[in-house]
């Protein structure tokens, strides 16, 4: 079997089998998960690097270039990282053109070029299964007693934004909800292509709820919601047990509030306890997501009580690397987020993001985007350089 | 050395500023202006200002020592960069230059002291005097001090009281300059106030707006528009938005012995203020030529930057700024591996310096901190085509061309909208006489009074 596409399909089958069998064996992700073993993860990531090099000449050239003068690639930490900027300039995909049935674009800052992550039916199957498996490991979905009776997604409907990986993720979560949980997409697509919320209607509906609800939205949609409530002098009191799922940055689509302030204000304005917030870190260039919740199944009362640290699932690893040296920083130090995502079988497993984080023993803490550094002098600056 | 608490920004108290404190400060400034500044002659002011600048040239001047010792930590700028930048500025503040500035912008050295004849008036029946605002509010952005230093000097010349509002964490160098004025002439120092708060604080800003005749602001387009929208009707406003600058090297400059000095000057421009100023180059356009083709110019520039790094290190960066460089380098590594026409050179194991050569003339915004693009062009027209996306935003062109070719190139740049052309190596050293963004810096502050005899 020398066809790299067939080999990648085989890789996908084996990865899914491993994940499923570990779930059957352990019930949930524990320290015993085989993919948490460095040897197993290393073998798989090196194999995938080799397969992606065969299927994608761009990646092959990059691996070749970064390995010049070095011994053979022997550890996943040395796999060359492809910058998310590069997803704007080239197609980082192993999918034959005929299989590319879906594409996700990065949201990007206003007016900037967006990156492309191509998908096929096969790659989406993998994406959706792994997405749900890691999502289910987090409250409240991992709780025996499921309190939330309704999910309100603040984004537009999936059919209106087919190229949004975020909305596809929400739609996958929505389809998987227990039968008794109702859901709806409350957002709209404005004429300018920006996402919007029909505020009056949304707030009226939320105000009348009698059962716990989970809101799903991006940071900038929540800021719009807060600003509206502020301007009307309104405050909601969502039923006890309600949750807030927050993801994504501001991308220049609203004023920016430090995350802690955002949560504080949302807690006050929506009447949701701060410990009932869950934050997701993901991007269109990746197939795996990180959550900042504590993995403490069965105990909603302690959820979110400890400092928030993001963790990826066992099939993805995050390194926080020094922008100066490219080496991993020490605990408590700041660097760039580099993700090795085995679920990125059909694109590129090693992605260097523009996000900056502090590395902690228990995970990582996102502190912003490199572009947020902003000008310190009087020169015009912008990160939308491509 | 402990500096006395002359200015609000000197106070180390945790007590935040409030509108009443600022209103009081404005009223005191106006009172002091009437007592100490209004009747001072321009000649005396010029002497004092030149004295202040001269003090900065003495190595053992205590305020200079204090500023250079604590400046790097306070501003985040590396020591060598900061010292060079400040001293270069002070060197230009001489009596001759200050007199020339008054004469250039106002036509007469005593124009701010009394009615003076107008040379251009054929009848000889009219005299004019210029009067400065009673109180100027300068809103500064960023940590680079030259713009604020210049504003303070201009305001003193117009005999105006001044409140300088610095953004959070950026008041150190303006404070040091103000202390040196106080130290030289306490009465002049009493007509200055330096305060620091995060921009957009409407309560504080409205309190000052109410007392101010003229507001000057440096910042992003958004900041500038925001201030304009909040100013009371009738308050004059001078704004200076963020700009970019570029280098242009004509083939006539790339000959024989001129090449080495030119490369050194290009490096001077890149390392001055670590490229953070609006007069620093983002891109250097190089005309194609057989002597030193643009790609080779870029390679040599990288060698020179490497050597300069050893003498004048860029210094550590905030991880987010370093991440911008790393991210952009990663992009160009990929581009150069897959597309012809792109080559990069960079410091190993650090983000200290980066040179990106591209065949494509399209202007790119650099992420600064010694990250420079070199682009090949056939003609100036091609470069101007590449610059179209920053039309109206280009401040300075650092030009290298033969003396015969120079005037034609300058004419083309001027008609396209550039307001300053200087020699390579002088981009970050504008003279005091510089017309900022094409406007007379001193002339814009004053109101004219005509006396028809």
């Amino acid at each position: 079997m020398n066809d790299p596409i067939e080999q990648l399909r085989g890789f996908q089958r084996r990865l899914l089998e491993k994940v499923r069998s570990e779930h059957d064996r352990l019930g949930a992700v524990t320290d015993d998960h085989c993919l948490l073993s460095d040897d197993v993860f290393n073998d798989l990531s090196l194999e995938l690097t080799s397969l992606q090099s065969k299927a994608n000449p761009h990646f092959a050239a990059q691996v070749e270039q970064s390995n010049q003068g070095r011994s053979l690639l022997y550890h996943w930490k040395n796999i060359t990282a492809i910058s998310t900027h590069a997803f704007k300039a080239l197609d980082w995909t192993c999918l034959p053109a005929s299989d590319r049935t879906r594409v996700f674009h990065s949201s990007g800052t206003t007016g900037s070029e967006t990156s492309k992550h191509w998908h096929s039916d096969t790659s989406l199957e993998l994406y959706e299964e792994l997405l749900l498996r890691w999502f289910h490991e987090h409250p409240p979905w991992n709780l025996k007693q499921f309190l939330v009776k309704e999910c309100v997604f603040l984004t537009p409907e999936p059919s209106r934004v087919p190229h949004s990986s975020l909305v596809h993720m929400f739609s996958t979560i929505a389809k998987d909800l227990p039968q008794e949980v109702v859901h709806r997409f409350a957002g709209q697509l404005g004429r300018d292509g920006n996402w919007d919320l029909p505020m009056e209607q949304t707030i009226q509906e939320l105000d009348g709820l009698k059962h716990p609800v989970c809101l799903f939205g991006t940071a900038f949609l929540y800021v719009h919601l807060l600003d509206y409530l502020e301007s009307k002098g309104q405050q909601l009191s969502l039923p006890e047990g309600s949750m807030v799922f927050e993801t994504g940055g501001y991308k220049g689509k609203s004023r920016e509030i430090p995350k802690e302030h955002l949560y504080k204000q949302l807690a006050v304005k929506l009447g949701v306890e701060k410990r009932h917030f869950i934050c997701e870190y993901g991007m269109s260039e990746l197939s795996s997501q990180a959550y900042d919740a504590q993995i403490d199944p069965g105990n909603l009362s302690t959820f979110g009580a400890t400092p928030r640290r993001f963790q990826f699932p066992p099939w993805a690893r995050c390194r926080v690397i020094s922008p100066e040296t490219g080496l991993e920083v020490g605990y408590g130090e700041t660097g760039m987020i580099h993700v090795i995502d085995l679920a990125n079988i059909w694109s590129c497993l090693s992605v260097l993001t523009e996000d900056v984080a502090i590395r902690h023993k228990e995970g990582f803490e996102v502190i912003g985007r490199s572009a947020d550094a902003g000008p310190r002098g009087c020169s015009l600056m912008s990160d939308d350089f491509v | 050395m402990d500096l006395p608490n002359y200015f609000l920004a000197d106070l180390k108290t945790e007590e935040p500023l409030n509108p009443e404190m600022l209103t009081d400060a404005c009223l005191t400034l106006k009172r002091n202006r009437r007592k100490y500044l209004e009747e001072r002659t321009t000649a005396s002011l010029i002497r004092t200002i030149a004295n202040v600048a001269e003090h900065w040239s003495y190595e053992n001047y205590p305020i200079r020592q204090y500023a250079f010792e604590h400046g790097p930590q306070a501003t985040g700028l590396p020591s060598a960069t900061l010292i060079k930048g400040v001293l270069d500025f002070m060197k230009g503040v001489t009596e001759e230059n200050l007199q020339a500035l008054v004469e250039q912008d106002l036509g007469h050295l005593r124009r701010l002291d009394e009615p003076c004849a107008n040379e251009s008036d054929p009848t000889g029946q009219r005299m004019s005097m210029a009067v400065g605002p009673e109180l100027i509010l300068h809103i500064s952005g960023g940590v680079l001090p030259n713009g604020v230093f210049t504003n303070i000097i201009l305001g003193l010349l117009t005999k105006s009281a001044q409140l300088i509002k610095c953004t959070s964490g950026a008041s150190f160098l303006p404070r040091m300059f103000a202390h040196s004025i106080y130290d030289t002439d306490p009465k002049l120092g009493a007509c200055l106030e330096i305060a620091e708060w995060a921009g957009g604080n409407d309560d504080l800003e409205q309190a000052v707006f109410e007392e101010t005749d003229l507001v000057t602001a440096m910042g992003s387009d958004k900041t500038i528009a925001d201030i304009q929208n909040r100013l009371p009707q009738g308050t004059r406003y001078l704004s200076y938005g963020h700009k970019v600058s570029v280098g242009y090297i004509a083939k006539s400059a790339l000959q024989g012995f001129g090449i080495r000095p030119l490369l050194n000057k290009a490096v001077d421009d890149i390392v001055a203020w670590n490229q953070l100023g609006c007069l620093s180059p983002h891109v250097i356009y190089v005309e194609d030529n057989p002597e030193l083709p643009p790609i080779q110019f870029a390679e040599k520039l990288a060698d020179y930057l490497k050597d300069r790094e050893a003498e004048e290190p860029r210094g550590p960066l905030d991880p987010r700024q370093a991440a911008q460089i790393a991210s952009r380098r990663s992009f160009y590594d990929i581009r150069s591996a897959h597309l012809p026409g792109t080559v990069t050179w960079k410091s190993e194991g650090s983000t200290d310096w980066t040179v990106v050569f591209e065949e494509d003339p399209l202007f790119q915004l650099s992420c600064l901190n010694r990250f420079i693009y070199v682009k090949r062009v056939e003609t100036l027209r091609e470069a101007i085509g590449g610059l179209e996306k920053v039309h109206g935003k280009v401040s300075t062109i650092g030009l290298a061309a033969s003396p015969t070719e120079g005037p034609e190139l300058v004419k083309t740049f001027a008609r396209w909208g550039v307001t300053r052309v200087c020699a390579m190596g002088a981009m970050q050293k504008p003279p005091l006489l510089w017309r900022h963004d094409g406007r007379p810096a001193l002339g814009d502050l004053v109101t004219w009074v005509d006396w028809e005899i």
Side-chain angles (χ1 to χ4, degrees):
Chain A
M1 186 173 75
N2 281 328
D3 176 9
I5 304 303
E6 270 312 310
Q7 289 177 312
L8 286 166
R9 278 202 191 104
F11 186 93
Q12 174 165 330
R13 273 194 300 277
R14 279 186 287 125
L15 179 67
L16 280 175
E17 274 163 22
K18 262 195 191 5
V19 171
R20 287 170 193 158
S21 66
E22 286 299 275
H23 182 78
D24 293 345
R25 185 171 75 89
L26 301 167
V29 169
T30 70
D31 291 346
D32 286 339
H33 199 290
C34 76
L35 287 170
L36 290 175
S37 140
D38 204 52
D39 286 346
V40 176
F41 188 85
N42 200 37
D43 288 349
L44 288 170
S45 49
L46 295 184
E47 183 189 349
L48 185 55
T49 304
S50 156
L51 295 178
Q52 290 186 341
S53 296
K54 283 189 207 167
N56 178 356
H58 293 320
F59 190 56
Q62 212 47 45
V63 171
E64 168 82 26
Q65 192 193 43
S66 64
N67 275 0
Q68 271 172 3
R70 290 194 207 163
S71 55
L72 279 175
L73 185 61
Y74 60 91
H75 197 272
W76 62 268
K77 289 188 177 180
N78 299 333
I79 300 170
T80 185
I82 304 303
S83 150
T84 47
H85 275 310
F87 279 76
K88 297 175 186 173
L90 293 168
D91 283 336
W92 291 93
T93 183
C94 299
L95 292 169
S98 55
D99 287 358
R100 296 177 200 171
T101 51
R102 190 84 185 261
V103 65
F104 293 143
H105 295 305
S106 59
S107 39
T109 47
T110 308
S112 66
E113 241 185 90
T114 57
S115 63
K116 299 176 282 293
H117 189 164
W118 291 97
H119 278 284
S120 66
D121 294 349
T122 310
S123 73
L124 279 178
E125 208 178 293
L126 170 83
Y127 172 81
E128 288 167 9
E129 175 166 347
L130 294 183
L131 178 165
L132 288 173
R133 282 188 180 277
W134 189 230
F135 180 70
H136 285 155
E137 297 272 348
H138 296 86
W141 292 269
N142 62 339
L143 300 178
K144 289 191 181 101
Q145 195 194 357
F146 195 83
L147 293 174
V148 170
K149 296 291 176 230
E150 180 165 351
C151 289
V152 178
F153 299 93
L154 303 177
T155 61
E157 293 210 21
S159 61
R160 302 297 313 277
V161 281
H163 302 306
S164 163
S165 60
L166 174 69
V167 176
H168 184 76
M169 179 177 87
F170 285 169
S171 141
T172 307
I173 292 170
K175 283 181 200 157
D176 184 62
L177 288 170
Q179 232 174 9
E180 67 276 17
V181 179
V182 293
H183 78 269
R184 66 201 166 80
F185 284 83
Q188 290 175 341
L189 193 63
R191 276 190 195 158
D192 51 4
N194 282 330
W195 297 359
D196 213 355
L197 260 182
M199 291 296 174
E200 217 177 301
Q201 191 191 337
T202 306
I203 285 164
Q204 211 171 25
E205 284 168 8
L206 291 176
D207 207 20
L209 287 175
K210 298 280 180 271
H211 44 246
V213 61
C214 183
L215 302 182
F216 290 77
T218 62
F220 70 84
L221 285 171
Y222 284 122
V223 171
H224 291 166
L225 186 64
L226 280 176
D227 286 348
Y228 184 84
L229 287 168
E230 183 68 39
S231 70
K232 298 286 173 191
Q234 254 181 300
Q235 196 162 309
L236 298 175
S237 181
L238 295 178
E240 202 180 334
S242 292
M243 312 271 306
V244 168
F245 181 108
E246 181 267 329
T247 186
Y250 295 98
K251 318 269 184 184
K253 292 182 168 72
S254 76
R255 68 195 167 88
E256 302 200 1
I257 313 177
K259 195 136 286 188
E260 269 312 301
H261 290 188
L262 176 69
Y263 288 178
K264 210 169 157 184
Q265 289 183 37
L266 279 172
V268 172
K269 287 283 179 193
L270 299 178
V272 175
E273 291 181 65
K274 248 171 81 181
R275 63 194 178 90
H276 288 184
F277 284 61
I278 182 167
C279 184
E280 183 254 9
Y281 173 81
M283 60 190 66
S284 70
E285 295 87 350
L286 294 176
S287 300
S288 295
Q289 301 77 32
Y291 292 99
D292 77 344
Q294 261 231 309
I295 303 171
D296 185 7
N299 190 355
L300 189 61
S301 64
T302 61
F303 164 58
T306 51
R308 295 171 168 273
R309 305 285 183 252
F310 281 107
Q311 288 183 340
F312 272 104
W315 49 91
R317 297 277 165 97
C318 167
R319 299 171 70 218
V320 180
I321 61 168
S322 158
E324 298 291 346
T325 61
L327 301 173
E328 195 156 22
V329 300
Y331 292 129
E333 290 178 356
T334 305
M336 303 170 80
I337 298 177
H338 170 204
V339 184
I340 306 284
D341 186 1
L342 294 180
N344 257 10
I345 293 176
W346 299 95
S347 55
C348 172
L349 82 162
S350 174
V351 175
L352 179 66
T353 75
E354 288 174 73
D355 297 313
V356 177
I358 300 172
R359 181 185 177 210
H360 295 284
K361 210 169 175 187
E362 314 79 25
F364 61 99
E365 178 188 352
V366 180
I367 59 167
R369 292 173 72 230
S370 60
D372 297 340
R376 297 174 66 246
C378 50
S379 184
L380 197 64
M381 267 186 82
S382 165
D383 61 321
D384 304 328
F385 75 98
V386 178
Chain B
M1 176 194 178
D2 276 332
L3 286 171
N5 290 340
Y6 290 143
F7 308 109
L8 285 170
D10 289 328
L11 302 174
K12 290 174 188 75
T13 163
E14 294 295 307
E15 193 72 23
L17 290 174
N18 61 49
E20 292 73 31
M21 286 165 82
L22 288 172
T23 304
D24 282 351
C26 290
L27 296 175
T28 306
L29 283 172
K30 288 185 193 181
R31 218 170 26 243
N32 290 346
R33 171 185 177 266
R34 274 194 297 278
K35 271 169 43 188
Y36 307 131
L37 188 54
E38 203 172 33
E39 292 299 330
R40 285 278 290 262
T41 63
T42 301
S44 128
L45 287 169
I46 284 178
R47 260 195 310 279
T48 306
I49 296 166
N51 264 332
V52 172
E54 194 185 335
H55 288 156
W56 281 82
S57 68
Y58 305 143
E59 270 181 45
N60 55 358
Y61 180 48
I63 294 174
R64 164 182 156 147
Q65 285 178 333
Y66 187 89
F68 291 169
E69 186 188 335
H70 299 282
Q73 203 199 342
T75 62
L77 294 164
S79 176
T81 304
L82 185 148
I83 292 172
K84 196 165 186 302
V86 171
L87 293 185
D88 276 348
F89 176 85
M90 295 297 176
K91 243 183 258 168
V93 184
T94 61
E95 279 196 55
E96 295 72 32
N97 287 343
L98 289 162
Q99 284 166 2
L101 170 65
V102 176
E103 282 171 355
Q104 171 190 274
D105 278 16
L106 305 178
H108 200 293
L109 194 55
R110 293 181 57 76
R111 185 75 74 195
L112 285 149
D113 300 337
E114 60 192 5
C116 303
N118 295 309
E119 275 180 25
S120 56
D121 187 350
T123 64
Q125 295 297 300
R126 192 170 64 106
M127 297 173 98
S128 306
M129 179 176 172
V131 180
E134 186 182 16
L135 175 65
I136 306 177
L137 165 66
H138 298 294
I139 299 176
S140 83
V143 293
L144 303 193
N146 288 8
V148 189
F149 291 174
T150 305
N151 278 341
I152 293 175
I153 291 171
L154 295 172
L156 287 175
L157 288 174
T158 60
K159 306 178 191 181
S160 304
Q162 301 177 76
L163 192 149
I164 294 97
K165 184 261 165 200
C166 301
T167 195
S168 298
S171 68
F172 180 79
L173 289 171
R175 266 174 60 213
M176 293 303 106
F177 187 50
H179 270 283
S180 67
I181 294 169
Y182 210 109
D183 179 59
T184 311
D185 187 333
K187 288 176 178 172
L188 278 196
C191 299
L192 290 176
E193 183 59 88
I194 314 277
E196 177 181 316
W197 69 83
N201 184 328
D202 204 40
D203 288 345
L204 296 184
E205 280 151 28
Q206 284 302 335
V208 186
F209 291 161
E210 292 299 329
E211 299 295 332
T212 308
D213 309 84
L214 173 75
V215 175
T216 75
M218 288 185 274
S220 65
D221 286 352
K222 189 172 169 292
T223 303
I224 278 171
D226 175 58
I227 294 167
Q228 180 141 39
N229 291 335
R230 294 188 292 125
L231 285 179
Q233 215 172 5
T235 304
R236 290 180 58 218
Y237 184 45
L238 298 173
S239 61
Y240 302 96
H242 287 166
K243 291 278 196 302
V244 296
S245 293
V246 300
Y248 188 85
I249 297 177
K251 59 170 84 83
S252 59
L254 289 166
Q255 284 167 8
F257 298 125
I259 292 174
R260 284 172 67 94
L262 180 58
L263 282 157
N264 261 322
K265 285 174 183 173
V267 172
D268 285 346
D269 286 333
I270 296 162
V271 303
W273 294 118
N274 269 348
Q275 214 181 349
L276 296 170
C278 57
L279 309 180
S280 304
H282 286 245
V283 174
I284 298 176
Y285 286 104
V286 182
E287 281 183 7
D288 204 7
N289 70 95
E291 186 87 11
L292 186 66
I295 191 167
Q296 285 176 26
F297 178 90
E299 189 177 4
K300 280 200 178 297
L301 187 65
D303 288 342
Y304 277 61
L305 272 170
K306 186 180 174 188
D307 292 347
R308 185 65 65 91
E309 181 61 30
E311 296 163 26
E312 202 180 318
R314 183 206 60 187
L317 287 187
D318 169 283
R320 278 186 286 191
Q321 290 180 302
Q324 267 187 310
I325 296 175
S327 172
R328 195 145 337 169
R329 278 179 170 191
S330 162
F331 171 80
Y332 282 104
D333 283 347
I334 285 162
R335 176 169 270 195
S336 57
H338 303 286
L339 301 169
T342 303
V343 186
T344 60
W345 297 266
K346 59 195 175 192
S347 53
E348 287 299 326
S350 77
T351 58
D352 290 336
W353 57 267
T354 312
V355 178
V356 176
F357 168 80
E358 284 190 299
E359 292 277 346
D360 183 354
L362 189 69
F363 174 85
Q364 289 292 8
L365 282 167
S366 159
C367 45
L368 310 179
N369 289 304
R370 306 191 182 184
F371 187 112
I372 187 79
Y373 289 95
V374 173
K375 289 177 173 268
R376 188 191 77 90
V377 286
E378 289 292 336
T379 60
L380 175 56
R381 281 280 155 216
E382 194 184 357
I384 283 183
L387 282 164
E388 204 48 52
K389 74 174 178 185
V390 280
H391 193 186
K393 293 277 179 198
V394 179
S395 166
T396 293
I397 302 286
L399 179 67
S402 69
T404 49
E405 204 183 3
E408 267 314 302
L409 296 175
V410 173
K411 225 158 63 183
T412 310
F413 278 124
R415 286 177 180 154
W416 183 70
V418 167
T419 56
R420 175 175 172 242
V421 182
C422 68
M424 288 292 291
M427 294 177 74
Q428 270 295 353
K429 297 179 205 163
L432 262 186
L433 286 91
W434 173 40
R435 295 181 174 97
H436 194 168
D437 292 350
R439 301 287 314 156
L442 184 65
D444 263 357
L445 298 182
V446 302
T447 305
W448 286 82
V449 181
D450 287 339
W451 178 27
E452 289 146 27
I453 304 160

